Amino acid sequence: MKPKSKLNFDKNPIFTSKTNVLKLLKRHVKLSRIEKILDFTIEDWQKDKNKILARITTYFPSKKVIIRSSAIGEDSEESSKAGSYESVLNINSNSKAQLTSAISYVINSYKEKNNLNKNNQILIQTQNLDIITSGVIFTRTSDLASPYYVINYEEGKSTVGVTQGSVNETIKISRYSNNKILTKKWNLLLSAVKEIQSIISSDSLDIEFGITQSNAVVIFQVRPMTSFQKFKTKKFDSSIKTEINKNQKKFLKLKNANKLYGNFLIFSDMTDWNPAEIIGNNPRPLDYSLYNFLIMKDAWYKGRTKLGYQKFNPHSLMVKFGNKPYVDIRASFNSLIPESFEPKLKKKLMNYYLEKLSKNPQLHDKAEFDILFTSYDLSLRKRLKELQNFNFSKKEIESIYNLLLLLTQKIIDEFPKTSVQCDKSIRKMTQNHLSYMKKLKKTDSYSIKLKIAENLLNDCRNFGTTPFSLMARIAFIGTAFLKSFVSQNYFSQKTIDKFMNSLNTPLSNFQYDLSKFYDNKITKKQFLGKYGHLRPGTYDITVDRYDNENPFLNDIKFHNVKVSKNNKIDFKKIVKVLKSDNLIISSHELFSFIRNSLIMREELKFEFTRNLSDALELIADVASNLGFSREDIAYLDINTIFSYHNVHTKSKLKLFWKKKIEQHKRISQVNSRLVLPPIIFSENDFELIQYYF
């Protein structure tokens, strides 16, 4: 129920003090309540403490009260001093000693902040003891002023988290959300907040609240949001509403598009190849399209099928909603089921995986260890016992165990051959790279430079990321072995850590050579000749390489990792256990498999990033020649860049790129203001955004 008319505060602004705001609202709100208020100034207190103490006792007979700060200008429309001053809870209104101590404590907090205004107020209110949820709701996001309600809250009777700013749960709700998807308490809270927005004529508020057992909304404080004054807050609101609807329609379309095992679709920003970490939550078109082209389009799938995992009609593992990249969980989980499983078992296992993730969304970034069964290790039989609670028969569980054992045995047996093939891929990519670099020295043609960049990226995918995908899966099996050796108490974590730190990988070599450079044992030219192609953001053209002119070597984080020469673990006792499980392997083979898979995974990554990095530099060079900055060119996707084949003059190419850059910048600007969840289960998750820890 809305008030009959809005109040006009143009001449007499409302945000003068916490007390004044609450007093005004108390006279007008109908969908929430504000506890009884008694206030006085520091000057009043200094003149007659006893009179004020008597008033408090009379006004709040036998009550628990809260003593709160209410400084003049504490929460103005220009600035907010939220949390600057103290409040004291659980004060007995009949105890003059407690009241005096608490009031003095609040007044001292003014002094500590050098706010000596005698008109600063002390606010006394009844302390509501019936609160079961408390928190703070912002009526826009604090960074970009996007039209979402942001609720930071905690469950329980205590409101200490609100007063101290330490509430630990967060949800975000679109301004345009359907009330039907919200729980009763959030619907009631939003209704109360919208009423306050209407009374105050502001849609940018920061409101402290509590919700009682009977779902009554109690308002503790209302202040303006001041963090985004530079933004025109309503500029993008209607566009964001449109984009939310587009994303919902896209999700529903994808839901029925792919005929894979699994009853429903889930998207995650962290599961499998971890796009949120690799390219971030808000990548530009070039970052996203490169990651998709090199890995997520099909390299991820090819590497797995070569090892014996399930074959199906592949599609990109990555999907973008707004600017944010997600992994298609159903495709990911299907790709990690062995091809040898019976169709009925595949389907049953997939539904188990999806159901477990739905009930435990906090596992979405740990799915391979905590949800899936993808290979044999010493913990497998124990982990498979969980399937008994999901209607898997003993025969089915035994079949899963035996088939995973056979798959793991096959991968181990073929590892020497696989390693040779990966070595050949690295050599082929390196030879081609040298050939391309020689051609570059003889040309200044933009089309030849783009052609070489295209060749570098094609080689990167064919000879780099595809075998990298295969070796990453093998290295995961090796890592799973090590984890199970610890979990089953055969080795300590310290022993495994020493083993891992002893591996001679590109990273350990980098750290070793960086130490030599700092000690003047090798020159800058020698160091950069080996590592200059690296950049902190592998897919980001706006991030300079180490061999650019900027003094990056001074900024590289150095970790003093000592490489141990004695890097062998005595695997003899483990091999006996493995043989009892029918995995046939010698201690030397086990050591070699784990060690070399981990090393080769890193070597493949080191080498394919050289091709990627050089391709990005060629694209940046051509872009600069056409008048575009690195920031500009980041807004082109890789397919647009390589459409130069179809544009026959330099001037036409420049106009074509300019048009696309401007278009993508506009789209990205809107999408960057979308709030998107870490995991998507349904179309409702674009309106009600939840976080899982």
Side-chain angles (χ1 to χ4, degrees), residues 20 34 75 102 142 176 190 200 234 266 278 305 308 318 329 334 368 380 408 413 449 501 506 521 529 545 612 620:
N20 295 344
I34 294 168
D75 297 310
S142 59
Y176 317 106
L190 292 191
I200 296 179
K234 296 182 181 180
I266 306 173
I278 304 299
T305 55
M318 188 165 63
I329 293 290
N334 267 279
E368 290 191 58
L380 179 61
T408 306
D413 291 344
K449 286 181 179 180
N501 288 334
K521 293 179 180 178
R545 293 163 34 133
L612 169 57

Side-chain angles (χ1 to χ4, degrees), residues 81 113 135 174 275 300 322 363 389 407 429 520 555 630:
K81 294 184 174 66
K113 299 291 183 179
S174 161
W300 67 279
L363 298 179
N389 301 322
L407 176 69
M429 187 165 55
N520 295 315
D555 300 325
R630 287 176 181 261

Side-chain angles (χ1 to χ4, degrees), residues 343-462:
K344 182 180 176 182
L345 189 56
K346 290 179 182 178
K347 183 177 180 180
K348 194 170 182 179
L349 202 52
M350 268 301 301
N351 287 330
Y352 158 77
Y353 290 156
L354 296 177
E355 184 180 346
K356 184 171 181 180
L357 179 58
S358 298
K359 291 179 178 178
N360 303 275
Q362 74 280 3
L363 298 179
H364 77 115
D365 61 339
K366 301 177 279 289
E368 290 191 58
F369 285 111
D370 293 346
I371 295 178
L372 307 180
F373 308 111
T374 63
S375 62
Y376 163 84
D377 63 59
L378 288 182
S379 68
L380 179 61
R381 195 174 287 282
K382 182 179 179 181
R383 288 185 60 220
L384 285 171
K385 288 181 180 179
E386 183 179 351
L387 295 179
Q388 295 173 4
N389 301 322
F390 291 86
N391 296 319
F392 282 79
S393 67
K394 289 183 178 180
K395 184 178 179 182
E396 287 173 325
I397 294 172
E398 194 63 23
S399 176
I400 293 170
Y401 178 87
N402 289 329
L403 291 172
L404 287 173
L405 181 67
L406 287 172
L407 176 69
T408 306
Q409 183 76 64
K410 176 177 175 287
I411 290 170
I412 291 172
D413 291 344
E414 294 181 356
F415 180 69
K417 181 182 175 182
T418 304
S419 298
V420 170
Q421 291 172 341
C422 287
D423 271 331
K424 285 182 179 178
S425 289
I426 291 175
R427 286 200 299 272
K428 179 66 175 175
M429 187 165 55
T430 303
Q431 290 168 3
N432 288 352
H433 182 274
L434 290 171
S435 174
Y436 300 144
M437 294 301 108
K438 285 180 182 178
K439 287 181 182 178
L440 270 180
K441 294 177 181 178
K442 302 175 182 178
T443 184
D444 199 37
S445 164
Y446 79 88
S447 60
I448 293 177
K449 286 181 179 180
L450 288 178
K451 179 60 181 174
I452 291 174
E454 188 174 10
N455 289 340
L456 284 168
L457 291 176
N458 282 325
D459 280 1
C460 185
R461 180 181 62 185
N462 297 330

Side-chain angles (χ1 to χ4, degrees), residues 180-199:
K180 292 179 181 178
I181 70 173
L182 304 178
T183 61
K184 183 177 181 180
K185 72 176 178 182
W186 297 138
N187 267 318
L188 290 169
L189 175 63
L190 292 191
S191 295
V193 167
K194 289 173 185 177
E195 180 188 49
I196 292 171
Q197 288 179 268
S198 179
I199 293 170

Side-chain angles (χ1 to χ4, degrees), residues 2 92 122 243 292 317 466 601 608 652 667 674:
K2 293 184 178 180
N92 185 342
I122 309 298
E243 291 304 314
N292 192 55
L317 185 61
T466 298
R601 176 187 64 186
F608 85 66
K652 286 183 178 179
I667 295 169
L674 286 171

Side-chain angles (χ1 to χ4, degrees), residues 6 99 101 151 192 223 312 358 492 508 585 611 620 627 681 689:
K6 297 179 182 179
L99 288 169
S101 175
I151 307 174
R223 51 189 169 235
F312 51 87
S358 298
S492 68
S508 64
I585 189 170
N611 270 38
F681 293 101
I689 295 91

Side-chain angles (χ1 to χ4, degrees), residues 286 541 619 623 628-636 641 657 661:
L286 184 55
I541 198 170
I619 292 168
F628 299 108
S629 67
R630 287 176 181 261
E631 284 286 340
D632 290 331
I633 212 69
Y635 285 94
L636 288 182
I641 291 172
W657 281 10
I661 288 169

